[in-house]
Amino acid sequence: MFSMAGSNEINANEAKKVVPLHTWILISNFKLAYNMLRRPDGTFNRELAEFLDRKVVANTVPVDGVYSFDVVDRATSLLNRIYRCAPPENESTRQLGAGIIELEKPLSTTEIVPVIIFFHGGSFTHSSANSAIYDTFCRRLTGLIQGVVVSVNYRRSPEHRYPCAYEDGWEALKWVHSRSWLLSGKDSKVHVYLAGDSSGGNIAHHVAHRAASSGLEVLGNILLHPLFGGEERTESEKKLDGKYFVKLQDRDWYWRAFLPEGEDRDHPACNIFGPRGSNLAGVNFPKSLVVVAGLDLVQDWQLAYVEGLQKAGQDVKLLFLKKATIGFYFLPNNEHFYTLMEEMKNFVSPSPSPSPVCS
Amino acid sequence: MGPYDSSISAPAGSSSTSSSACSSSTKPRQPPDQMDHLLAGAGYKVRSNDLHQVAERLEHLETAMVKSSPVEISELGHDAVHYNPTDLASWVDSLLTELNTNPPAAVGVPTDLPDLHPFPADINMYSNNPPPLHGEFSQQVVTPLEEDVSIRLVHVLMTCAEAVQRGDLSLASLLIDDLQALLGRVNSVCGIGKVGSFFVDALSRRIVNSSQNGVVQDDLSAYENEMLYHHYYEACPYLKFAHFTANQAILEAFDGQDCVHVIDFNLMQGLQWPALIQALALRPGGPPLLRLTGIGPPSPDGRDSLREIGLKLAELARSVNVRFAFRGVAASRLEDVKPWMLQVSPKEAVAVNSIMQLHKLLGPGQPIDVVLDWIHDLNPKIVMVVEQESNHNQSVFLDRFTEALYYYSTMFDSLDACTAQPVKSLAELYIQREICNVVCCEGSARVERHELLATWRDRLTNAGFAPLHLGSNAFKQARMLLTLFSAEGYSVEENEGCLTLGWHSRPLIAASAWQAVPEPSATMGQINHP
């Protein structure tokens, strides 16, 4: 016990050296709260989790040029929160009813407007689309890309295990593709990208894979320190265990909560290119931007994912942020945040070629 | 003391005078503390000056947790009651207390120890406007419309409302015809079709009767009122949530009290009180003496409906051995009630219970101020306030109309999903009367002047009340209550010590608890005494 306390002091100081004060407070708060929510027997204190989660309402009055509204997908009863840029000239005289009316029209009939479907993180267990941290992030992202972000809820573990989150992600993709008011460009289609952090990144991969098999178009994947894993203990897991907010045993807990009972971490949901993984060679998989935080203990799995995509001949760009910890993108108070924003913006920018590709 | 006292009637139409016995001193206002805006965007309110101390406390909490077993830590999630997670500093402190660790020096005392490992500086390359306080923006859409005819319906509704606002009644009447035609084409069984017809109806009444002065809504008989109320109570969880949450808070506020007095601002059928009576009967140490004063409209035709309810409740109390006394106070309007009618004794612990009533005092003359003053002077242990979570009190008609359209659409959606009661027409009529009042009426006739929780917070704070936070235990139990309803989609949320019940991500009802802050002027008087 004594030595554990001692090593814990060191760990606290490690993290303090590399993250700004606000980030340290925010992520530490989550870490300690989440410790209380995960029960040793594998169940989850959902009531307290929902009580503690800071949620925010959508707002049709634009803030920083972005407004949002919620739609419940009647098929799944899951919430989708849509973020859009307010047209600048109407911002001051915005009719409250205009938000509803605009759903008649496509985003544009001439320009391509990117639509990012965002899957929030939380290790398949925590958070929602209307969690404050994700609402703020999506709002920023929308302004950045000058497009639309659709932040979606999915059924969470341990109440709903694999493959529920992937099913819900798939439904969300189909829903987005079928909205007439998300069409853009001269080719009049929904220009969809998938994005997600942590478990959201994992979901984005699996939904993209299914989309590729089904012929539903996804223009690109953005994976923000996506949640992957495997039975083997990698170097990064051993070296960084407990050092920067995350313990390996916590990661294990979340996989046990998500994967079917009795399964191990080499399950293809978790270990994409592992012994039971799929071969993506020849698959019409979208281009990927994979962001890896250099102080994330999961990084070796994320790097293995990038390698796997490369070996399969897929288009993948790795953004390795050496000194970043998990959750660096929640607050705009560090250089990694701005680097990420720039990369994401470029990734979804419509092709510079004069005529958009017609499918 | 008998099981009940005879009703006392307030003279109808009596106005509140400024020479009332209630003092209206100016209550001190807290200076605004500088809140850190980065953490505000994550949903937390931390004073900028406190950041380092909060960080320190988090470190202490982590150390304390490391020393505990995993079982102890997850028990912390169970047994401890958590309050107001937005106030991060207090939340962390409460956990430290739970783990029996001595918290470090109180906030505001600077630590002398140098920061051995200073945090890297926050980069602020862009000017970050402080994020909006999310209570400020209320307009939301939970079920936006995608069918052409529904969109058209809303568009014409808005245009019509705008014409009404401008006084162009001939155009408005033409648009009503358009609307009737559209209603014929839209699915009137659910969604915007159903609530849309109520709004069209309300608009046409406003046009037909009197435009600028608004209409006066027909009064229903007491029986009709009760019928609608009862069906609304059964068809959806809003009233149940209100009663349940209020009773929970009142029970806690009455802990250790031997004589308690509940003042119910709208007794109706007294549906809230059997549960409280039973809870008090079962409380460890035995029940207190319970007095209930029920306020309600005078009954016509010689009936004394307040007394009848009182009798039923007395019978229930007798059956569970709770000493009980009831008094009915008949008043057509809440502002007609005077504190002396309530006969509050200084020895008793008082709970004021207002379920969807205070907003009725926001009309001309603002009787709310006088009423809040005398509530304050009763020195209540708890004031329970439940209100509709929307701004239907905007002076600009179009804004009010739009907000109501979104609010009641959402409420109707939620009603649709409840399968407990297949026929909901009477519950819908209850809601329709609210809609009609918001849309058609003006001046003193418009009583449904709903305002947002953020506004009520300001108002109650200015009137000398401090919040009593509703915690994770109340939250948990409210969620359990909801599981009794087959409809998935209702959500209970925690909002800075208050609880809201809503449909998906849209809160529709907000419950908050308050206590009176003692007057500083009393102390001043003592100091000045020779």
Side-chain angles (χ1 to χ4, degrees):
Chain A
M1 269 304 169
F2 196 82
S3 60
M4 268 179 76
S7 66
N8 205 61
E9 272 172 39
I10 293 168
N11 293 341
N13 291 336
E14 284 286 331
K16 276 168 81 173
K17 281 185 211 157
V18 296
V19 301
L21 176 61
H22 292 82
T23 308
W24 193 89
I25 289 175
L26 185 65
I27 310 293
S28 298
N29 159 59
F30 290 146
K31 177 178 83 172
L32 298 177
Y34 293 179
N35 283 350
M36 279 190 299
L37 301 174
R38 293 186 304 265
R39 296 197 196 104
D41 65 357
T43 60
F44 186 69
N45 191 341
R46 180 62 65 191
E47 287 77 24
L48 185 59
E50 291 304 303
F51 178 82
L52 294 176
D53 189 27
R54 304 292 79 210
K55 294 190 186 345
V56 297
V57 295
N59 60 288
T60 55
V61 177
V63 172
D64 286 342
V66 176
Y67 70 94
S68 63
F69 58 91
D70 291 340
V71 184
V72 175
D73 181 351
R74 283 189 190 274
T76 59
S77 196
L78 290 169
L79 191 81
N80 297 337
R81 176 163 289 181
I82 291 98
Y83 300 83
R84 289 178 58 166
C85 295
E89 57 274 17
N90 291 345
E91 209 166 324
S92 55
T93 57
R94 182 165 188 75
Q95 270 291 304
L96 297 174
I100 244 180
I101 294 166
E102 274 175 69
L103 296 186
E104 291 179 282
K105 298 184 242 164
L107 294 170
S108 168
T109 47
T110 50
E111 308 302 314
I112 292 175
V113 181
V115 177
I116 298 182
I117 300 179
F118 183 80
F119 300 103
H120 68 81
S123 307
F124 295 104
T125 304
H126 299 279
S127 299
S128 303
N130 59 343
S131 296
I133 44 169
Y134 287 113
D135 184 82
T136 301
F137 177 79
C138 288
R139 187 177 303 283
R140 287 200 180 105
L141 183 58
T142 306
L144 178 85
I145 64 166
Q146 288 293 299
V148 174
V149 172
V150 182
S151 185
V152 305
N153 273 348
Y154 51 88
R155 283 168 294 164
R156 298 166 299 185
S157 51
E159 298 94 324
H160 300 103
R161 293 172 177 269
Y162 166 95
C164 293
Y166 302 154
E167 305 271 350
D168 296 341
W170 175 243
E171 289 299 320
L173 177 60
K174 286 195 294 183
W175 187 88
V176 164
H177 258 297
S178 57
R179 300 303 106 184
S180 59
W181 42 275
L182 288 178
L183 297 168
S184 67
K186 295 199 182 98
D187 49 356
S188 191
K189 63 176 187 183
V190 185
H191 293 80
V192 178
Y193 295 81
L194 299 179
D197 69 319
S198 165
S199 50
N202 178 297
I203 295 171
H205 164 83
H206 287 284
V207 173
H209 193 179
R210 187 165 173 182
S213 315
S214 319
L216 200 56
E217 186 183 45
V218 173
L219 295 171
N221 269 10
I222 300 174
L223 273 53
L224 274 178
H225 58 59
L227 208 57
F228 298 127
E231 275 302 300
E232 183 197 333
R233 297 304 195 190
T234 63
E235 278 310 302
S236 64
E237 283 171 320
K238 289 188 258 194
K239 201 176 79 172
L240 296 172
D241 184 4
K243 290 253 164 51
Y244 298 98
F245 307 113
V246 185
K247 290 208 194 97
L248 196 50
Q249 67 186 43
D250 306 341
R251 292 278 123 250
D252 291 349
W253 189 98
Y254 291 114
W255 285 122
R256 277 196 306 273
F258 173 70
L259 296 169
E261 305 210 32
E263 280 286 1
D264 69 16
R265 291 187 301 276
D266 282 337
H267 188 282
C270 176
N271 194 349
I272 307 296
F273 294 108
R276 296 160 59 188
S278 23
N279 183 4
L280 285 181
V283 172
N284 186 17
F285 199 76
K287 64 172 182 173
S288 300
L289 170 66
V290 181
V291 182
V292 177
L295 299 177
D296 181 357
L297 58 79
V298 177
Q299 66 188 271
D300 283 351
W301 293 111
Q302 294 154 355
L303 295 170
Y305 174 76
V306 170
E307 206 182 297
L309 283 178
Q310 285 166 336
K311 285 206 182 116
Q314 301 296 346
D315 179 353
V316 55
K317 175 170 183 182
L318 168 65
L319 177 64
F320 186 84
L321 299 167
K322 193 163 164 210
K323 283 270 169 45
T325 62
I326 53 147
F328 68 88
Y329 46 85
F330 285 136
L331 300 175
N333 61 354
N334 61 87
E335 59 182 345
H336 311 301
F337 174 92
Y338 295 102
T339 307
L340 170 69
M341 290 293 144
E342 202 52 38
E343 287 287 339
M344 289 201 292
K345 180 168 141 187
N346 294 335
F347 190 74
V348 305
S349 251
S351 154
S353 64
S355 52
V357 176
C358 298
S359 52
Chain B
M1 192 180 295
Y4 61 90
D5 273 326
S6 51
S7 300
I8 296 172
S9 298
S14 62
S15 52
S16 48
T17 60
S18 54
S19 57
S20 75
C22 307
S23 58
S24 53
S25 55
T26 50
K27 317 283 191 274
R29 187 131 190 212
Q30 300 287 348
D33 288 293
Q34 181 69 30
M35 290 291 169
D36 179 80
H37 75 265
L38 277 182
L39 290 177
Y44 297 101
K45 285 191 177 158
V46 180
R47 283 187 281 268
S48 300
N49 296 336
D50 292 346
L51 286 170
H52 279 275
Q53 274 148 351
V54 170
E56 213 181 279
R57 280 176 165 75
L58 280 166
E59 276 188 85
H60 277 92
L61 181 57
E62 170 151 25
T63 307
M65 285 174 94
V66 163
K67 290 184 181 141
S68 316
S69 69
V71 170
E72 281 175 301
I73 292 173
S74 61
E75 265 170 21
L76 193 63
H78 275 280
D79 302 334
V81 180
H82 300 251
Y83 295 94
N84 193 10
T86 294
D87 183 354
L88 190 53
S90 305
W91 181 72
V92 175
D93 279 349
S94 69
L95 290 177
L96 281 167
T97 310
E98 281 295 325
L99 289 172
N100 292 316
T101 314
N102 292 320
V107 174
V109 176
T111 56
D112 291 336
L113 298 169
D115 204 352
L116 290 172
H117 300 276
F119 291 93
D122 287 70
I123 293 177
N124 198 351
M125 281 162 60
Y126 292 59
S127 67
N128 278 301
N129 297 327
L133 299 168
H134 282 276
E136 288 172 21
F137 304 108
S138 60
Q139 299 92 352
Q140 310 143 74
V141 179
V142 176
T143 313
L145 312 160
E146 295 167 277
E147 299 85 17
D148 286 343
V149 70
S150 306
I151 292 169
R152 181 113 191 91
L153 178 65
V154 170
H155 186 49
V156 180
L157 263 172
M158 304 292 248
T159 312
C160 184
E162 210 251 327
V164 166
Q165 175 170 275
R166 269 195 337 254
D168 188 348
L169 296 190
S170 44
L171 172 60
S173 301
L174 286 175
L175 291 170
I176 293 287
D177 293 337
D178 276 355
L179 285 166
Q180 301 288 13
L182 282 168
L183 282 175
R185 289 166 47 203
V186 84
N187 183 356
S188 64
V189 172
C190 64
I192 195 70
K194 179 163 276 185
V195 78
S197 69
F198 290 148
F199 277 86
V200 172
D201 178 72
L203 271 177
S204 75
R205 273 190 216 213
R206 189 174 172 122
I207 294 163
V208 163
N209 289 307
S210 150
S211 65
Q212 303 308 321
N213 300 326
V215 303
V216 176
Q217 235 174 333
D218 292 329
D219 275 338
L220 293 182
S221 72
Y223 173 73
E224 287 168 325
N225 259 326
E226 277 169 31
M227 272 289 282
L228 296 191
Y229 179 89
H230 200 102
H231 276 80
Y232 179 67
Y233 181 88
E234 293 294 338
C236 50
Y238 301 109
L239 283 177
K240 293 193 189 77
F241 165 80
H243 293 173
F244 187 85
T245 307
N247 286 347
Q248 176 87 8
I250 292 171
L251 194 63
E252 282 179 38
F254 281 169
D255 190 34
Q257 300 292 333
D258 293 324
C259 294
V260 303
H261 184 174
V262 175
I263 300 167
D264 188 358
F265 275 9
N266 186 28
L267 185 69
M268 266 305 200
Q269 298 153 348
L271 294 175
Q272 181 171 349
W273 306 118
L276 183 68
I277 292 171
Q278 280 161 342
L280 287 172
L282 292 172
R283 115 181 152 164
L289 163 62
L290 169 66
R291 284 183 60 205
L292 173 66
T293 298
I295 298 169
S299 18
D301 65 9
R303 268 182 75 201
D304 190 344
S305 49
L306 289 173
R307 186 173 143 148
E308 283 171 20
I309 308 288
L311 276 170
K312 288 197 191 126
L313 291 173
E315 212 177 286
L316 168 68
R318 193 176 14 241
S319 73
V320 292
N321 292 317
V322 174
R323 290 167 299 144
F324 179 79
F326 177 82
R327 162 177 268 109
V329 172
S332 338
R333 305 174 311 168
L334 198 48
E335 55 258 50
D336 297 335
V337 175
K338 301 286 169 280
W340 58 264
M341 298 167 192
L342 307 173
Q343 305 221 333
V344 168
S345 143
K347 294 194 200 100
E348 50 193 18
V350 173
V352 174
N353 185 75
S354 168
I355 312 286
M356 270 65 116
Q357 300 304 306
L358 288 187
H359 61 259
K360 297 180 182 170
L361 300 169
L362 298 175
Q366 296 277 295
I368 183 79
D369 295 325
V370 169
V371 173
L372 286 181
D373 265 352
W374 65 246
I375 293 176
H376 187 278
D377 290 344
L378 294 178
N379 195 24
K381 279 275 177 301
I382 181 170
V383 180
M384 199 62 210
V385 176
V386 183
E387 283 286 329
Q388 291 90 334
E389 179 63 0
S390 192
N391 187 359
H392 296 153
N393 198 20
Q394 300 175 73
S395 42
V396 176
F397 175 71
L398 186 58
D399 292 345
R400 201 162 78 229
F401 183 84
T402 314
E403 186 100 13
L405 183 60
Y406 291 165
Y407 179 84
Y408 288 106
S409 300
T410 309
M411 179 162 279
F412 267 80
D413 270 355
S414 77
L415 221 72
D416 261 348
C418 278
T419 54
Q421 213 174 328
V423 176
K424 304 191 181 80
S425 30
L426 290 177
E428 288 167 4
L429 270 182
Y430 177 89
I431 301 170
Q432 187 197 18
R433 286 187 63 76
E434 259 183 43
I435 294 172
C436 209
N437 192 274
V438 175
V439 173
C440 303
C441 302
E442 292 295 348
S444 51
R446 179 154 60 89
V447 293
E448 299 297 342
R449 294 175 179 263
H450 314 139
E451 288 189 344
L452 293 168
L453 179 59
T455 314
W456 284 111
R457 275 207 186 98
D458 283 344
R459 200 185 287 283
L460 286 160
T461 308
N462 288 341
F465 295 92
L468 278 173
H469 290 144
L470 302 173
S472 52
N473 50 348
F475 179 86
K476 227 188 282 193
Q477 298 198 27
R479 272 171 65 101
M480 279 206 296
L481 169 73
L482 288 184
T483 60
L484 297 176
F485 284 81
S486 51
E488 216 186 277
Y490 284 101
S491 59
V492 181
E493 285 181 13
E494 194 281 342
N495 182 330
E496 291 189 68
C498 307
L499 295 187
T500 62
L501 172 62
W503 181 243
H504 286 282
S505 57
R506 167 77 209 245
L508 293 172
I509 302 284
S512 59
W514 303 85
Q515 60 186 339
V517 174
E519 297 264 348
S521 49
T523 330
M524 290 278 284
Q526 285 170 18
I527 291 168
N528 291 337
H529 217 270

